[in-house]
Amino acid sequence: MKRLYFAGASAVAVVAGLMAAGAAQAQDTAPSYVDEVVVTAQLREQSLQDVPIVVTSVSAQQLQDAGIRDIKDLTIATPGLTVTSTSSAAVTTARIRGIGTVGDNAGLESSVGVVIDGVYRPRNGVAFTDLGEPDRIEVLKGPQGTLFGKNTTAGVINVITKRPTFNLRAVSEAGVSNFDGFGASLSLNGPVVDDVVAARLYVAARGRDGYYNSVNQPNNNDQNFYTGRLQVLFTPSADLDINVALDYTERDERCCGAVQIFNGATAALVNALAPAGTGLSNPVDVDSFRDYGNRDYRKEITDKGVSVQADWATPWFDGATLTSITAYREWRQKGGGDVDWTGADILYTAGFEGPNPASLAFRTFTQEVRLAGGTDTVNWLVGAFYSREDLDSRVRTITYGTQFEPFLSGLLGGQLPLFTGQPATGQVFRPGQGQNDTYAQEQEGFALFTNNSIQVTDALELTIGARYTWEDKSLNSFWSNTDGGIGCATALARAQALGGPIPANGSLIRPGGLLAAGYQLICASANNPRFGQIGKNAQSLDEQEFTGTVKAAYRLNEQVMAYASYARGYKAGGFNLDRIATTTQTVAGQATAPVLDTRFGRELVDSYELGFKNTLFDRSLLLNATLFYQDYQDFQLNAFNGLVFTVTSVPEVVSQGADVDFLWFTPVDGLTMNGGVTYADTAYAKSTPVALGARLAGTRLSLAPLWSGSLAVSYERNLTDDLVGKFALNAKSVSSYNTGSDLAPIKTQPGFTTVNARLGLGSEDKRWAVEAWAQNLLNETYYQVAFDAPLQPGSFNAFLGQPRTYGLTLRFTY
C-alpha cells in the first residue's frame, strides 16, 4: 500500500513558521482581519476566543471547499477527530482524542454526541446523513455533558444549519464525478408573509457506482440517496421566533465490502468450495479493492423527523430568553449482506431475498426547555431535558449458506455429513436456516442542568455548571434458531460417538483438522440450541448520576486569555444486543449456557484542561493551545472475536496530550490558512486485567493515533473585473494506529495523509461558479477498521477508506 505521512512535529513547525512569518510581514503589509468567529459551545453566542473550551469551528465556506457533506467527511478538517464506518452506514463511529464507542453493537450509545440544530441524535450512525445547508459545525473536545447531555464523554459535534431569512435567494448545484457519480441540489429561501413568515427548502439527490472491484456482486458500495429539509420560521412578534423543521432522507445502497488483509489456513478450503477465481484473494492484494462477498449487500435506510424550536424574549429577569426544542425522529435500516466476505456461500445476513430482512429501527422523542439571561456580571442558564427512545432490532446476523455444512466439516478433517441425520429427530441441514433474534429496548431519561458564568473582575471569569440525570432502560430479547440448532446438537452427538472428549469451548477435539476448536464454531452463540429454549429474556436497569464543570478564564490582556477547567462526564450503561454464552461447558454433551444478564455499567470521566487563546498581529492570527488529561473509569469496550460482539468495562483509560489550532489571514491578499495538531496519548491503564484482553494493558486504544494534524489553505483573487479564481486545499495527516479492538498487530494502519483539493472559477458577484475537485487526491489506501474474518481463524479482513474521487461542480445563485 502507498504511504505518505508527515510527522506531527512538522505540523507544529508549520504553526511556528506561520507565527514567525506573520511577525516579520505585519510591519510592512496591512493584514486582513479575522472576523469574529461566533460559536455556541455554551448554548449562547460567544466569540471563539472568549470560550474556555477547545472548539474547532468549521465555516460553511470551508465545508464547501473541503467537500464535506456528512460527519465522516469532517475528519479532514478536524485534528483529533476520527470517523469510521464498517458493515453499513448505520455502523458509524466518531472518536475524539482517541475516545469513542465502536458502533457495531446497537445497544451501545456514542461517546461523541451529535447535535443537529439543538436536537440530540442517539447514535453516530443515526446522524450519518447529508448535512444539507450547514452554517457551521463546531467540534467540542472533551466531556460536554453539562449542557449537551449524558453521552458526550469524548466530545460533541454540534451542527448548526442555515435558518430561513426574509431575503429572497435561490442556489442550485449540479455535479458529476468518477464512478459514474451524479448529484444535484436546490435551495430556496425567502419570505412567505413579509416580516412574519419565512421559509427555506433544501432538496438534493446523489448517486454513484461502487468503488470496490466486486467479483461476485456488481456495484458493491454503490450509493443512491435523496434528501429534503423544509424550515418555516414564524416571527409573530419582536420577542418570539418559532422555527419548524421537517426533514426526510432515503438511502438505497449496497454497503459495505471488505477485503482480505491476511489469510490463514482456512483460505485454501474457501477457494476449494467457491468457483474458481471467486473465493478470496490469495495472496492478498489490498490495493486492488477486490471484494469477494457473494450475497447482496443492499440496504434501505430512511431517516425522518420534525422539530419545533421556540425562542421567547420574556419579560422576566431583565428579558431572559426561554427556549423550547421539541423533536420526534424515526430511523430505520433494512437489508443484509455477506457475513464471511468470501465467495464461498458460508454465512450471510438475511436481506431482501426473503420475506423478513434484518432490520434496525429507532424512534426518539426529546424535549428540552431552558431559560437563559444575564447582567453585566453574570450569564446564567437553567434547563431540563427529557428523552424517550424505542429500539427494535431484528437480527438475522447468522444465516446458513449452501456451503456452511461442508465448510465446517472441512475444518474438522472432512467429517461428512456433519449435520444431516440428527439422531433424535432425523432432521437434515437446510440452507437458509439459522439465528433469528429480536430485541425491543425502551429508554427514558430526564435531566436538570445549569451553567453560569460570573465576571469576578474585568479579567477573571468563573463558570460553574451542573447536571443531574435519571436514566431507565428495559430490554426484551427473543432468541430462536429456525432449525432448532440441529447443527450443534448433531455435532455434539457425533463427537460423543467418536469417543470424545466431549467438546468445551476451545478444547482440542480431534487432531488433523484445520481447526482444533472447530466444535466451538459449530456450537457458537449463533448456533447454540439452548438460546432457543429460553424464549423471552427480560432485563432492566436504572441509573442516576451527578456531573458538572468548573472553569476559570483569565484575560492577561486584550490579545491573550488563559483558562483552566475541570469537567465530569457520564455515559449511560446498557445492554449487549448480541448472544453471549459462558466460556465453560458445565453439562457433558451440551452446548455452553446462555448468559442472561447482558448489562454493562456506566462510563465516567474526569477531565482537566489548561489552555491559552491568543489573538495576534492586529487580529490576523488566532492561535489556541490546550493541555488535557482525561481519566475514564469503566470504559465501555465493544469487541468482535470473529463470532459475536461483547461489551466489557475496562477499569481505567487515560487520554492525555495537547491540542493546537490556528486561523491565519495572511499578509498575502486572499490567502487564508487554518488547521491544527492534536497529540493524544490515549491508553489502557497498565493495571488492566489480562482477562479483558491480552494486549490491552498499557497499550494505546484502537483508532487512537498519537499525532494528527490538519491544514486548510484557501487562495482567492480577481482575475479580471468580473472573474474570480479560487484554490482550496485541505489535508489531514495521522500517525500509525491499530484498527482493531483487540489490538492484534496485523490490524495496524501505518501513518498516512489524505488531501482534498478544489479549483474554482466564478463571477465576482458570486452568481455562478464552476469547480474541479478531488477527494483523497493522493489515492491513499487505508484501513478504516480491520477485523477477524468470521469463522476463519487466523484470517483478517478490513473495511477500506474511499479511494480517490474527482469531478466537476456547477453552482448558480439567483
Side-chain angles (χ1 to χ4, degrees):
M1 287 185 286
K2 303 182 296 295
R3 303 292 178 203
L4 179 61
Y5 168 53
F6 304 135
S10 299
V12 174
V14 169
V15 177
L18 293 175
M19 294 179 59
Q25 298 183 42
Q27 300 175 359
D28 303 319
T29 307
S32 301
Y33 292 92
V34 177
D35 293 332
E36 199 76 77
V37 179
V38 176
V39 296
T40 53
Q42 298 191 110
L43 297 185
R44 58 188 172 96
E45 291 190 349
Q46 294 177 272
S47 168
L48 173 66
Q49 297 305 90
D50 292 333
V51 179
I53 300 173
V54 180
V55 182
T56 299
S57 183
V58 187
S59 68
Q61 186 60 58
Q62 187 182 351
L63 293 170
Q64 179 177 296
D65 291 343
I68 297 172
R69 297 194 180 277
D70 57 43
I71 63 170
K72 189 174 180 181
D73 296 333
L74 188 61
T75 57
I76 198 163
T78 311
L81 173 67
T82 302
V83 183
T84 59
S85 59
T86 54
S87 57
S88 77
V91 187
T92 299
T93 301
R95 296 170 177 82
I96 292 177
R97 295 172 173 167
I99 296 293
T101 303
V102 178
D104 303 72
N105 193 327
L108 277 163
E109 295 167 271
S110 174
S111 299
V112 178
V114 178
V115 177
I116 301 178
D117 289 336
V119 178
Y120 171 70
R121 305 292 180 94
R123 307 291 191 282
N124 290 160
V126 174
F128 184 62
T129 186
D130 187 277
L131 296 173
E133 293 183 285
D135 183 67
R136 67 183 182 277
I137 299 178
E138 301 167 3
V139 180
L140 285 59
K141 299 179 181 179
Q144 306 294 329
T146 302
L147 290 174
F148 287 94
K150 59 187 179 184
N151 295 324
T152 56
T153 50
V156 168
I157 299 173
N158 188 27
V159 181
I160 300 97
T161 67
K162 293 179 179 178
R163 270 198 168 190
T165 67
F166 291 94
N167 299 318
L168 187 63
R169 179 182 172 89
V171 179
S172 63
E173 182 180 295
V176 294
S177 68
N178 59 332
F179 301 110
D180 289 330
F182 175 79
S185 65
L186 174 66
S187 170
L188 302 173
N189 175 79
V192 177
V193 178
D194 286 343
D195 300 323
V196 179
V197 181
R200 180 182 290 272
L201 174 67
Y202 173 81
V203 292
R206 296 191 184 91
R208 59 161 171 75
D209 288 345
Y211 53 79
Y212 275 78
N213 296 314
S214 300
V215 175
N216 298 303
Q217 286 291 321
N219 274 333
N220 182 24
N221 276 64
D222 67 354
Q223 185 181 92
N224 296 282
F225 81 92
Y226 314 89
T227 187
R229 180 179 176 86
L230 173 65
Q231 296 184 80
V232 182
L233 176 65
F234 300 90
T235 57
S237 70
D239 299 327
L240 178 62
D241 290 347
I242 302 173
N243 192 67
V244 180
L246 301 94
D247 66 272
Y248 179 87
T249 298
E250 181 177 309
R251 301 168 67 102
D252 189 346
E253 59 188 15
R254 287 175 174 80
C255 182
C256 297
V259 302
Q260 285 78 40
I261 63 171
F262 188 84
N263 287 330
T266 59
L269 177 58
V270 169
N271 278 330
L273 292 172
T278 67
L280 49 73
S281 289
N282 195 17
V284 300
D285 183 9
V286 177
D287 287 315
S288 70
F289 273 77
R290 191 168 291 118
D291 165 61
Y292 286 83
N294 68 312
R295 290 285 178 167
D296 191 357
Y297 291 87
R298 184 185 168 200
K299 311 284 196 308
E300 289 182 354
I301 302 170
T302 56
D303 182 18
K304 55 187 176 182
V306 58
S307 66
V308 180
Q309 177 170 338
D311 295 284
W312 177 34
T314 72
W316 316 319
F317 308 110
D318 296 324
T321 299
L322 179 66
T323 298
S324 170
I325 304 175
T326 308
Y328 176 77
R329 302 203 59 81
E330 291 184 2
W331 185 94
R332 177 178 293 273
Q333 175 181 281
K334 292 183 178 180
D338 207 327
V339 170
D340 55 85
W341 280 279
T342 73
D345 193 28
I346 303 170
L347 295 173
Y348 64 98
T349 298
F352 293 98
E353 68 272 25
N356 296 306
S359 65
L360 176 63
F362 295 93
R363 294 180 300 278
T364 59
F365 172 80
T366 56
Q367 174 65 61
E368 182 167 345
V369 179
R370 57 180 187 260
L371 184 66
T375 65
D376 290 340
T377 57
V378 177
N379 284 287
W380 56 268
L381 179 150
V382 294
F385 179 78
Y386 171 81
S387 64
R388 168 67 186 255
E389 175 190 271
D390 294 321
L391 180 159
D392 294 298
S393 176
R394 180 182 180 85
V395 182
R396 299 196 67 192
T397 302
I398 305 298
T399 303
Y400 308 139
T402 58
Q403 295 174 315
F404 180 66
E405 182 178 29
F407 176 77
L408 285 187
S409 298
L411 291 181
L412 295 170
Q415 299 176 34
L416 290 171
L418 188 60
F419 300 99
T420 302
Q422 199 270 348
T425 65
Q427 290 178 318
V428 296
F429 168 72
R430 292 185 178 88
Q433 305 293 314
Q435 178 182 0
N436 187 18
D437 299 343
T438 61
Y439 298 92
Q441 177 177 290
E442 294 181 354
Q443 173 272 341
E444 196 168 26
F446 182 72
L448 296 173
F449 59 93
T450 183
N451 197 73
N452 310 282
S453 298
I454 305 167
Q455 197 70 45
V456 180
T457 69
D458 289 343
L460 176 63
E461 181 182 69
L462 296 180
T463 299
I464 301 173
R467 189 181 190 101
Y468 195 82
T469 303
W470 293 263
E471 179 87 3
D472 292 305
K473 288 182 179 177
S474 62
L475 173 67
N476 289 321
S477 304
F478 301 87
W479 296 314
S480 68
N481 289 80
T482 58
D483 63 352
I486 64 167
C488 175
T490 303
L492 289 169
R494 288 180 61 83
Q496 202 164 11
L498 290 170
I502 303 300
N505 281 11
S507 64
L508 182 65
I509 303 303
R510 183 181 180 185
L514 287 175
L515 178 66
Y519 282 92
Q520 179 184 357
L521 302 181
I522 302 168
C523 292
S525 298
N527 316 318
N528 189 327
R530 298 184 65 179
F531 280 89
Q533 299 166 9
I534 295 169
K536 174 182 174 181
N537 182 45
Q539 303 178 74
S540 64
L541 64 81
D542 62 86
E543 297 176 344
Q544 298 86 41
E545 193 65 42
F546 180 82
T547 56
T549 185
V550 178
K551 303 181 180 75
Y554 188 81
R555 187 156 289 284
L556 301 173
N557 52 49
E558 290 186 2
Q559 291 76 39
V560 181
M561 183 191 80
Y563 68 92
S565 70
Y566 164 79
R568 184 167 178 83
Y570 156 66
K571 182 168 176 285
F575 307 102
N576 187 64
L577 299 191
D578 203 353
R579 295 183 178 189
I580 303 297
T582 57
T583 57
T584 304
Q585 187 181 40
T586 57
V587 180
Q590 289 191 15
T592 56
V595 174
L596 301 183
D597 185 355
T598 68
R599 291 176 298 177
F600 54 86
R602 74 195 75 186
E603 176 181 295
L604 298 172
V605 58
D606 293 299
S607 175
Y608 306 86
E609 294 188 355
L610 177 64
F612 293 87
K613 295 201 170 185
N614 306 275
T615 306
L616 307 173
F617 308 136
D618 295 328
R619 295 191 59 83
S620 66
L621 175 65
L622 307 183
L623 178 63
N624 302 328
T626 302
L627 299 174
F628 63 86
Y629 180 89
Q630 300 173 156
D631 187 358
Y632 289 82
Q633 302 99 50
D634 296 324
F635 177 78
Q636 296 168 1
L637 175 65
N638 184 41
F640 178 65
N641 65 2
L643 297 171
V644 295
F645 292 98
T646 57
V647 182
T648 56
S649 292
V650 179
E652 185 179 23
V653 166
V654 172
S655 179
Q656 55 188 329
D659 287 297
V660 178
D661 295 282
F662 73 92
L663 170 60
W664 187 31
F665 278 33
T666 74
V668 178
D669 187 32
L671 178 63
T672 303
M673 296 183 181
N674 68 280
V677 175
T678 294
Y679 171 83
D681 185 5
T682 303
Y684 299 104
K686 293 182 179 179
S687 59
T688 302
V690 175
L692 297 179
R695 305 181 184 93
L696 301 190
T699 308
R700 272 191 293 126
L701 275 64
S702 62
L703 293 151
L706 195 62
W707 289 94
S708 69
S710 65
L711 177 66
V713 179
S714 174
Y715 180 61
E716 182 175 326
R717 64 170 296 171
N718 285 74
L719 302 177
T720 68
D721 289 342
D722 301 319
L723 202 60
V724 176
K726 183 171 183 177
F727 171 73
L729 181 144
N730 286 262
K732 175 73 172 287
S733 182
V734 296
S735 60
S736 63
Y737 55 90
N738 197 290
T739 65
S741 296
D742 63 351
L743 302 179
I746 192 67
K747 300 175 183 178
T748 298
Q749 167 61 53
F752 66 99
T753 297
T754 53
V755 177
N756 294 353
R758 187 168 295 246
L759 184 63
L761 189 67
S763 63
E764 195 276 337
D765 60 5
K766 299 187 182 299
R767 290 291 183 180
W768 65 269
V770 60
E771 298 170 344
W773 53 267
Q775 310 282 92
N776 191 7
L777 177 66
L778 304 179
N779 202 27
E780 282 287 344
T781 302
Y782 60 94
Y783 306 156
Q784 291 193 79
V785 175
F787 59 98
D788 295 54
L791 287 186
Q792 301 163 68
S795 294
F796 301 91
N797 297 343
F799 299 102
L800 301 181
Q802 186 168 299
R804 177 169 51 221
T805 57
Y806 52 87
L808 288 172
T809 297
L810 182 62
R811 186 180 304 107
F812 290 96
T813 302
Y814 311 93

